[in-house]
Amino acid sequence: MPTPVRGRLADDREILLYDSDTGLGVDRRDLPRRSPLPVTTVRRDPRTGDRVIVAPARQERTYHPPRQMCPLCPDPDGRSSEIPAADYRVAVLENRFPALSTVGVPYRAVPEANPLRVEELGTGRCEVVCFSSDHDGSFAALSDEHARLMIDVWAHRTAELFARDDIAEVYCFENRGAEIGVTLAHPHGQIYGYPFRTRRTRDLLRTAAAYRAEHGTDLFESILADEIADRTRLLVRTEHTTAFVPFAARWPVEVHVYPNRHVRNLIDLTAAEADDLALVYLTVLRAFDALYARPLPYIASWHQYRADAEEGYLHAELFSVRRSADKLKYLAGSESGRDAFLNDKTPETIAADLRAVIA
Amino acid sequence: MPTPVRGRLADDREILLYDSDTGLGVDRRDLPRRSPLPVTTVRRDPRTGDRVIVAPARQERTYHPPRQMCPLCPDPDGRSSEIPAADYRVAVLENRFPALSTVGVPYRAVPEANPLRVEELGTGRCEVVCFSSDHDGSFAALSDEHARLMIDVWAHRTAELFARDDIAEVYCFENRGAEIGVTLAHPHGQIYGYPFRTRRTRDLLRTAAAYRAEHGTDLFESILADEIADRTRLLVRTEHTTAFVPFAARWPVEVHVYPNRHVRNLIDLTAAEADDLALVYLTVLRAFDALYARPLPYIASWHQYRADAEEGYLHAELFSVRRSADKLKYLAGSESGRDAFLNDKTPETIAADLRAVIA
C-alpha cells in the first residue's frame, strides 16, 4: 500500500500526493471557509424508495475553465490551482463542490415523522483523483507502471474510507468526455464515499443472494465462468484478469473487467493480480479510443465491497454513450421514464468491434 | 372515445388519423417489406434482473432529416412522407424503426436453459403520435381543444393496446428537444406497448403494495394529499387536477400531474376530468418553455395501469435535463453507474422558479 504525502488546502480540505518527488507546497489562495452546516441532504423517493442527493451548492461548480486556469494542473506558487506542488504523479483531494456533505453531523436518517418525506442528513466523502499532471493526458495514455500506481491509489483510498463508520460504499469512477458532462478537461476520476448503499449495489447484492439460494453458487463467479465458456463476447483473458461484453449490455459500448480470483475489493488483490488488472484495464481503454480513432467519452465504474459483505465480486464496468462515429445514445423516454434500456447494438457486435481494435 | 380513420402504409404498417377532415390517401412509396422475423429481442441482465431491449435495426433510423424531407409532415401525394394526407390534426402510425418487434411470434420467455443468458422474443407495439401537422409547432402551442383531443387519442390507443394479450404495459411519452436525442423536429410523441412490465412500473407497484400493507392506505393518494397539505412544492390545483414538484425530484426541472380522483388510466377519466387535465398539462408545458424563454428539452412520461391492476394511479411525470439557461444535467457516474441521482436544485427552488412563470 503506498504512503502518500498529506496536506491541507486553504479551506482545510485534505490533499494527498502519491509517489511524489517534489512534495506539497502551501496553498496561498484566499478561499472561503467551508460551511459547518450540511450542504447536501438525501431524500427518499416515496414511490420507489430510491435515494436522491440534493446538492444545491454544486450549481456553482467550476465549468469548463480556460486551460491556463485549470484547477488540476500543478501550481508551484500555490496561488492558482487546487494542487500546490511543482509536479505530481497522482493527486487526490477533497472535492471543492462535493455531492455529499463532508463536514457536519454524522449521517443519520431523520426520524420518519412523515414516511412520504424522509430526508437524511450527514457526511460522506467526495474526492477528485488526478491521474497525471499532464493536462492533455488520459488514463489510456498512462504508462503501465503509472496505471499500476492508480490501482494502488484506489486501493489505498478504499481501505481508508472503508475504515470509516459513516461510509457504506466506496465508489471509484471516472467520467471522461464533455459528451457526458465532464466540466474539467484535465484527466481525473472521482471517489464517492456514499453514506448509504446505492440502488445498484443493493440490486446486485440482492440478486446475488437470490441466485445463491436458488443455485447454490456465486452469481458473479458463474457469470465469469459462463462468459469464458461461451467465448462469444470475450475480449481479453489473461492469467489473472478477464474482460468481456456482458450478455445484456445496456450501452452501445460496454465492457466488464473481472479478476479471475474472487475478491471483494481492490485491497484484496495480490501484487501480481493488480499488475495484470492494470494492463487489461489499459488494453480496454486503448481499444475504446481506437474504436472511432478519437477519444471515446466513457464512464468507468468500479464495484467493490467490504471484506465481510454477504455477496459481491470486485469488477469494473466501462461503458460509453457513443453509438457510432457521429451519434450518441441518449437516455430518453424508455430509459429515463421506465428504466427500460434500448441498445441499438447487439452485445456480440460490440464485442466483435472491440476485438478488431484490441492491439 | 374518438373514431379514427384507419389505413395501411406501403409496408403494411398501420396508420390512424383522428378528427380528420381530409381522410387518408394512398402511400405510393416503394418501401421494403417488413421482416417476418423478430427484429428485436429482450435480454435479462443476470446481475439485476432488468430487461434490456436489443434493437440493432434502429441504428439505421432517420436522423435529423432536412425540413423538406420531414417524414411526419402531411403529404397529399403519398410519395415523400409517412402520412399520405392533405392535412391532419393528430396522426398515429406504427414506428418504421421499432424498439420492439411488431411482427413475428407472440411474446414468450425462452425456456431458461441457462439462467445467466435469458433471451426473450416476441411482439410489442411502437407507435409515433404526431400532435399536429404544423412542423414548427409543439405540444405547448396546441389549442386547449387540440390538447384535449390528444388526451382522447392517448386514451383510445391505451384502450386498444390494453385489449391485447401480448402487451403488459402501455406507455405514452414524449421526448422533446435535440438535447435529449430527438432526431425528428416535427412535434410528436410515442407510445410503447411493452410485452413485459418495466422496472419502474414494477418498482412503483411493489412500493405501493408495501405501503398499503404497512399503512393501510393508497401510496399515491397519500402522496397527493400530502403535497396538497404541505403546499411547498404545489404548482397548480384545479377542480380535477393537481400539479406539483415531487419531494424527491431527480431532475433540475420535474413536475408530476395527478387527477384528483383516483383512476388507473386515461380511459377512466370523465369528460370534465379530461378537459381539466389537458389544461393543466398545457399550463405546465408552457411554464417549461417560459423558464428560460426558449423551448425546454423535456421528457413527458405517463404512468397508467389496467383497470384490474393491484395498485397504481394515473399520473404524468414531466422533467428536463436543463439545469440552467446554458447548462444541462448529464447522467454520469453516480446516476448511470449507481442509480444514485444528484440534483443541483432543491425541489422547493424548482417549484418557486416554475410558479414565477405560470401565467
Side-chain angles (χ1 to χ4, degrees):
Chain A
M1 201 68 85
T3 306
V5 174
R6 289 171 181 270
R8 292 275 170 181
L9 298 175
D11 57 0
D12 207 39
R13 282 177 293 131
E14 200 173 9
I15 182 168
L16 303 90
L17 300 190
Y18 288 84
D19 200 12
S20 168
D21 291 327
T22 62
L24 266 171
V26 176
D27 179 9
R28 301 176 197 281
R29 293 173 299 169
D30 184 24
L31 295 182
R33 283 196 68 79
R34 285 189 289 175
S35 166
L37 300 170
V39 293
T40 66
T41 62
V42 179
R43 292 190 182 191
R44 220 174 296 165
D45 183 342
R47 298 185 315 156
T48 58
D50 291 343
R51 288 180 170 86
V52 176
I53 299 166
V54 184
R58 274 171 59 80
Q59 205 42 314
E60 305 309 316
R61 65 189 182 271
T62 311
Y63 186 79
H64 295 297
R67 185 195 171 96
Q68 67 277 18
M69 292 174 66
C70 174
L72 304 184
C73 278
D75 171 21
D77 296 330
R79 298 195 186 278
S80 60
S81 99
E82 291 273 88
I83 304 175
D87 197 4
Y88 65 84
R89 295 195 77 209
V90 174
V92 173
L93 59 148
E94 286 185 78
N95 198 321
R96 188 171 166 193
F97 302 97
L100 295 157
S101 289
T102 49
V103 287
V105 295
Y107 183 74
R108 64 189 157 84
V110 175
E112 301 198 16
N114 181 341
L116 303 172
R117 279 187 264 144
V118 177
E119 185 152 28
E120 299 162 339
L121 294 173
T123 51
R125 177 91 171 183
C126 290
E127 300 184 344
V128 174
V129 182
C130 303
F131 303 140
S132 154
S133 62
D134 177 6
H135 184 86
D136 299 311
S138 68
F139 200 112
L142 298 180
S143 68
D144 295 353
E145 179 264 337
H146 201 136
R148 175 63 166 80
L149 172 62
M150 274 308 308
I151 302 278
D152 283 345
V153 169
W154 282 327
H156 179 259
R157 300 312 309 141
T158 299
E160 197 158 292
L161 297 178
F162 268 162
R164 280 173 52 166
D165 287 343
D166 59 341
I167 287 176
E169 183 171 331
V170 176
Y171 179 35
C172 303
F173 66 104
E174 181 188 0
N175 298 328
R176 194 269 195 114
E179 298 93 332
I180 54 155
V182 176
T183 54
L184 296 177
H186 196 109
H188 71 287
Q190 297 180 68
I191 298 173
Y192 279 8
Y194 291 105
F196 53 85
R197 270 199 181 154
T198 61
R199 183 172 83 179
R200 188 70 56 84
T201 295
R202 285 187 286 123
D203 280 354
L204 265 56
L205 294 178
R206 194 193 56 238
T207 311
Y211 190 88
R212 188 180 301 280
E214 186 175 347
H215 300 280
T217 51
D218 185 87
L219 171 63
F220 299 96
E221 290 176 14
S222 302
I223 289 172
L224 180 59
D226 185 61
E227 291 292 348
I228 291 166
D230 187 56
R231 303 199 66 81
T232 323
R233 289 165 300 281
L234 205 59
L235 296 182
V236 183
R237 171 104 177 116
T238 61
E239 184 181 354
H240 297 295
T241 316
T242 303
F244 58 89
V245 177
F247 171 74
R250 305 197 295 177
W251 305 90
V253 182
E254 181 170 347
V255 175
H256 293 188
V257 181
Y258 282 57
N260 293 338
R261 183 174 65 93
H262 187 167
V263 296
R264 289 266 189 265
N265 55 53
L266 289 158
I267 313 162
D268 289 347
L269 293 170
T270 65
E273 287 168 339
D275 286 348
D276 199 55
L277 182 59
L279 294 183
V280 172
Y281 193 78
L282 281 177
T283 299
V284 174
L285 288 187
R286 288 170 186 165
F288 274 18
D289 286 349
L291 261 185
Y292 299 108
R294 62 184 165 123
L296 190 78
Y298 67 78
I299 295 172
S301 164
W302 287 89
H303 287 274
Q304 56 176 342
Y305 311 87
R306 280 196 170 86
D308 61 355
E310 60 281 27
E311 294 285 348
Y313 195 126
L314 169 69
H315 63 288
E317 295 178 337
L318 300 148
F319 52 91
S320 176
V321 293
R322 183 161 292 293
R323 68 178 173 94
S324 73
D326 58 352
K327 299 188 185 100
L328 301 180
K329 169 176 182 60
Y330 292 86
L331 301 189
S334 192
E335 291 89 356
S336 289
R338 281 301 191 274
D339 290 325
F341 270 69
L342 311 181
N343 198 340
D344 291 344
K345 292 188 76 172
T346 67
E348 293 71 30
T349 305
I350 299 169
D353 290 352
L354 283 167
R355 273 195 293 258
V357 291
I358 285 178
Chain B
M1 201 69 83
T3 307
V5 175
R6 287 172 182 272
R8 291 275 171 181
L9 297 174
D11 57 1
D12 207 39
R13 281 177 294 131
E14 199 172 9
I15 181 168
L16 303 91
L17 300 189
Y18 288 84
D19 200 11
S20 167
D21 291 329
T22 61
L24 266 171
V26 175
D27 180 7
R28 302 177 198 282
R29 293 172 299 168
D30 183 23
L31 295 182
R33 283 196 66 80
R34 284 189 289 175
S35 165
L37 300 171
V39 293
T40 66
T41 63
V42 178
R43 292 190 181 190
R44 220 176 292 167
D45 183 342
R47 297 186 314 156
T48 58
D50 291 343
R51 289 178 168 88
V52 176
I53 299 166
V54 184
R58 273 170 60 80
Q59 212 30 324
E60 305 310 317
R61 65 188 182 273
T62 312
Y63 187 79
H64 296 297
R67 186 194 170 95
Q68 66 276 17
M69 292 176 67
C70 173
L72 304 184
C73 277
D75 171 22
D77 297 331
R79 296 195 187 279
S80 60
S81 100
E82 290 274 88
I83 306 176
D87 198 5
Y88 65 85
R89 295 196 76 209
V90 174
V92 173
L93 59 146
E94 285 184 77
N95 197 321
R96 188 171 165 195
F97 303 96
L100 296 156
S101 289
T102 49
V103 288
V105 295
Y107 183 76
R108 64 190 155 81
V110 174
E112 301 198 15
N114 180 342
L116 303 172
R117 279 188 264 145
V118 177
E119 184 151 30
E120 299 162 340
L121 295 172
T123 51
R125 177 91 171 181
C126 290
E127 301 184 342
V128 174
V129 181
C130 303
F131 302 141
S132 155
S133 63
D134 177 7
H135 183 86
D136 300 310
S138 68
F139 200 113
L142 298 180
S143 68
D144 296 352
E145 178 264 338
H146 201 134
R148 175 64 165 79
L149 172 62
M150 273 308 309
I151 303 279
D152 282 346
V153 169
W154 282 327
H156 179 260
R157 300 310 311 140
T158 299
E160 200 158 290
L161 297 178
F162 269 162
R164 282 173 50 166
D165 288 343
D166 60 340
I167 286 176
E169 183 171 331
V170 176
Y171 179 35
C172 304
F173 67 103
E174 180 188 0
N175 297 329
R176 194 269 198 119
E179 296 93 332
I180 53 155
V182 176
T183 53
L184 297 177
H186 195 110
H188 72 286
Q190 298 181 67
I191 298 173
Y192 279 7
Y194 290 105
F196 54 85
R197 269 198 183 154
T198 61
R199 183 172 83 178
R200 188 69 56 87
T201 295
R202 285 186 286 122
D203 280 353
L204 264 55
L205 295 177
R206 193 193 57 236
T207 311
Y211 190 87
R212 190 180 299 282
E214 184 174 349
H215 300 281
T217 52
D218 185 88
L219 171 63
F220 299 96
E221 290 177 14
S222 301
I223 289 173
L224 180 59
D226 184 61
E227 292 292 348
I228 291 167
D230 188 55
R231 304 198 66 81
T232 323
R233 289 165 300 279
L234 205 59
L235 295 182
V236 183
R237 170 105 177 117
T238 62
E239 185 180 355
H240 297 295
T241 316
T242 302
F244 58 88
V245 177
F247 172 74
R250 303 197 296 177
W251 305 90
V253 182
E254 181 170 347
V255 175
H256 293 188
V257 181
Y258 281 58
N260 294 337
R261 184 174 66 92
H262 187 168
V263 296
R264 289 268 190 261
N265 55 52
L266 289 157
I267 313 162
D268 288 348
L269 294 169
T270 66
E273 288 169 338
D275 286 348
D276 199 55
L277 182 58
L279 294 183
V280 172
Y281 193 79
L282 282 177
T283 299
V284 173
L285 288 187
R286 288 169 186 166
F288 275 17
D289 286 349
L291 262 185
Y292 298 109
R294 63 184 165 125
L296 190 78
Y298 67 78
I299 295 172
S301 163
W302 287 89
H303 287 273
Q304 56 175 343
Y305 312 87
R306 281 196 171 86
D308 61 355
E310 60 281 26
E311 294 286 347
Y313 194 125
L314 169 69
H315 63 286
E317 294 178 336
L318 301 147
F319 52 89
S320 176
V321 293
R322 184 162 291 294
R323 68 178 172 95
S324 73
D326 58 352
K327 298 187 186 103
L328 301 179
K329 171 181 181 56
Y330 292 84
L331 301 188
S334 193
E335 292 87 358
S336 289
R338 281 301 190 274
D339 290 325
F341 270 68
L342 311 180
N343 197 340
D344 291 343
K345 291 187 75 173
T346 67
E348 293 70 30
T349 305
I350 299 169
D353 289 353
L354 283 166
R355 273 196 294 260
V357 292
I358 285 178

